[in-house]
Amino acid sequence: MQDTNTKVELLSLLPDELAELLVSLGEPKYRAGQIFPQLHRGLSPDDMTNVGKVTRAKLAEVAYYHLPQVERKLVSAIDGTVKLLFSLSDGNCVESVIMKYEHGNTICISSQVGCRMGCRFCASTIGGRVRDLTAGELLGQVIAAQKELGERIDNIVMMGIGEPLDNFDAVVKFLRLVNEPSGICIGYRHISLSTCGLVDKIDALAQLNFPITLSISLHAPDDETRSAIMPINNRWGVDELLAACRRYYAVTTRRISFEYTLISGKNDSVEQAEKLARLLNSRLRSRSDTMPIHVNLIPVNEVTETGFVRSGERAVRAFAATLEKRGIRATVRRKLGPDINAACGQLRRAAAKESENKE
C-alpha cells in the first residue's frame, strides 16, 4: 500500500503544480511536460523510459502514483455495458460503469466511498459515507477504465456512488484535470454532473461557469413527497432548489436536466406528473424567458433493502405523455446492463456483504 498520508498524489496535480514540485526537487520545469501526459495514459514514473532514474527516485521520495485496481468486471451479454469494481489504495471500493453508444463510450464514475445523503431508493447510500475521493482517484477511474477496455472514454457522467457536490473541491479539480489538453482531454461539454440538490454548492459551481451539463435529482413534485424519500429536502426545499437552478441558468445559459426516479405508488401518478409540470413551468419559465427544461424519467432500480418497486410501463408512458402535453420535454432512460445490475452501488454492496459473511 502506498504512503498516501505524507506523500503528494501525482494524479491530483495540474501541469503547473507538477512543474512546481519538480523544480522544488532540483529538476527542470520542462520535465512536467514529459511526465504529465504519461501519467494520464496510465504509466507510473517507473514505467517512463524517457525519465531518468535519478528523477524517478526523487519523485518516489515525495510522491506516489496509484491507479484504482479492477477487483471485479461484469460485462452485459445484452448490450455490452461494463461494470467495474475498483479497489483504492486504502482497500476501499467504488464502482464505475461504462456504457457503449454509437457516439462513443460513456463512463459513470463515483465521487465518494459511500454517500451520506440518505436517498431512500439508492443502494449507494446504504452504510453511509466512508470518505471522499481525491481528484486523482476520480481521474484514476477514467484512466483505469480506458486501460481495461483498450478503448477511449469519450464522455463522463458523475452519477456513481456519492454526491459530487459534497466533495466539491476534489470534483472541481478533477474537472480541470480531465479537461487538460496534454492529458485525457475530455471537453467540459462531454461531462454531466448530478446532484441531489446542495443549493450552496450549485451556486458555487455556477460561478465557475464550466460548460458542463448539470443534472438535478428531483424525484418529486412537492416538499412532502420529496422529503419522504430525500432527506436533503429538509434543508433545501423544492422552491429553494429551483431558485438555485434559475440562478445557475442565468450565469451559464446551460440547459439543466431533471432526473425523476419513478417509484410505484410513491411519485408516479398522472396527478403528480401534472403537479411536476406546473411546478417547473411556474418556477423556471416566464413570458420573457423560455428556459429549456428536460426531465429524464428513470424507473427505480429495485434494491432489496429499500422495498421500492419499479413503475409499470403503462404508468411510465402516461407520466411522460402528461409532461409533454404541458411543454416539458421528457425521455425515459433505457435500462442498460440489466443482467449485471449496472446501477451504481449494487456491486459494492454485494462485495461488502460477502466480506461480512467471511468474518
Side-chain angles (χ1 to χ4, degrees):
M1 185 182 296
Q2 299 278 0
D3 181 2
T4 60
N5 293 321
T6 60
K7 292 185 177 182
V8 176
E9 183 184 29
L10 289 172
L11 270 182
S12 284
L13 298 180
L14 290 161
D16 288 348
E17 294 171 329
L18 178 59
E20 185 179 334
L21 174 65
L22 287 163
V23 169
S24 74
L25 297 175
E27 293 292 322
K29 186 176 181 179
Y30 72 79
R31 288 263 188 253
Q34 297 176 321
I35 294 172
F36 185 87
Q38 296 187 85
L39 295 174
H40 287 228
R41 287 203 301 270
L43 293 177
S44 72
D46 287 341
D47 298 323
M48 299 178 188
T49 57
N50 64 335
V51 178
K53 290 183 179 180
V54 174
T55 302
R56 296 200 302 264
K58 288 178 181 178
L59 278 175
E61 284 290 320
V62 299
Y64 71 95
Y65 181 82
H66 184 274
L67 283 181
Q69 301 298 301
V70 177
E71 295 295 324
R72 294 188 188 180
K73 178 181 179 181
L74 303 178
V75 182
S76 171
I78 297 173
D79 54 35
T81 298
V82 179
K83 189 168 188 177
L84 300 173
L85 180 69
F86 285 122
S87 63
L88 306 174
S89 60
D90 62 357
N92 277 301
C93 291
V94 294
E95 297 172 29
S96 296
V97 178
I98 301 99
M99 297 155 284
K100 295 175 176 287
Y101 300 102
E102 289 184 5
H103 58 270
N105 295 322
T106 296
I107 187 170
C108 179
I109 65 170
S110 297
S111 56
Q112 296 174 311
V113 180
C115 181
R116 62 177 174 176
M117 295 297 107
C119 298
R120 310 294 184 217
F121 50 83
C122 182
S124 297
T125 198
I126 297 171
R129 169 186 163 278
V130 178
R131 69 170 176 87
D132 293 335
L133 298 190
T134 66
E137 288 171 329
L138 290 161
L139 180 65
Q141 293 171 72
V142 184
I143 296 172
Q146 288 191 149
K147 289 187 70 174
E148 182 67 26
L149 266 64
E151 300 175 23
R152 175 172 169 79
I153 297 294
D154 303 285
N155 310 284
I156 299 172
V157 179
M158 303 192 75
M159 294 184 185
I161 296 172
E163 161 58 54
L165 296 188
D166 192 36
N167 187 15
F168 188 83
D169 291 342
V171 165
V172 166
K173 192 164 194 185
F174 160 72
L175 293 173
R176 292 190 166 115
L177 282 164
V178 80
N179 187 245
E180 275 294 325
S182 61
I184 294 178
C185 194
I186 296 177
Y188 290 128
R189 295 182 186 275
H190 294 271
I191 301 173
S192 296
L193 184 152
S194 175
T195 176
C196 68
L198 280 66
V199 166
D200 58 339
K201 300 303 183 184
I202 293 173
D203 286 334
L205 185 65
Q207 296 311 308
L208 296 173
N209 204 8
F210 291 131
I212 64 173
T213 298
L214 180 65
S215 295
I216 302 293
S217 295
L218 189 57
H219 308 311
D222 56 73
D223 282 328
E224 182 180 2
T225 306
R226 194 166 191 263
S227 293
I229 57 176
M230 301 183 71
I232 192 67
N233 200 74
N234 294 312
R235 182 172 183 184
W236 289 294
V238 171
D239 283 348
E240 290 177 281
L241 175 57
L242 294 184
C245 291
R246 280 290 306 167
R247 294 192 294 272
Y248 185 91
Y249 178 73
V251 172
T252 67
T253 67
R254 296 282 294 166
R255 187 195 75 176
I256 296 173
S257 180
F258 293 91
E259 299 161 2
Y260 195 102
T261 294
L262 290 164
I263 306 169
S264 181
K266 298 288 185 182
N267 64 352
D268 64 342
S269 69
V270 169
E271 291 75 20
Q272 285 165 311
E274 291 276 8
K275 183 182 286 189
L276 177 63
R278 288 195 300 271
L279 173 76
L280 295 177
N281 278 322
S282 65
R283 297 295 187 275
L284 299 179
R285 287 173 168 167
S286 65
R287 291 181 181 178
S288 61
D289 181 11
T290 55
M291 176 178 171
I293 301 173
H294 172 238
V295 175
N296 190 17
L297 299 173
I298 312 163
V300 72
N301 291 297
E302 296 182 359
V303 179
T304 301
E305 289 88 345
T306 69
F308 289 150
V309 177
R310 292 168 65 87
S311 299
E313 187 175 337
R314 181 180 296 180
V316 173
R317 287 201 305 266
F319 201 100
T322 301
L323 293 178
E324 292 282 357
K325 286 179 185 177
R326 299 292 179 262
I328 304 293
R329 182 169 177 261
T331 55
V332 180
R333 181 182 294 177
R334 181 164 60 98
K335 184 175 175 62
L336 296 175
D339 53 329
I340 59 171
N341 286 328
C344 270
Q346 298 183 64
L347 185 56
R348 174 177 174 264
R349 183 66 180 159
K353 284 183 177 179
E354 289 178 13
S355 178
E356 291 169 3
N357 291 334
K358 290 177 182 179
E359 293 178 356

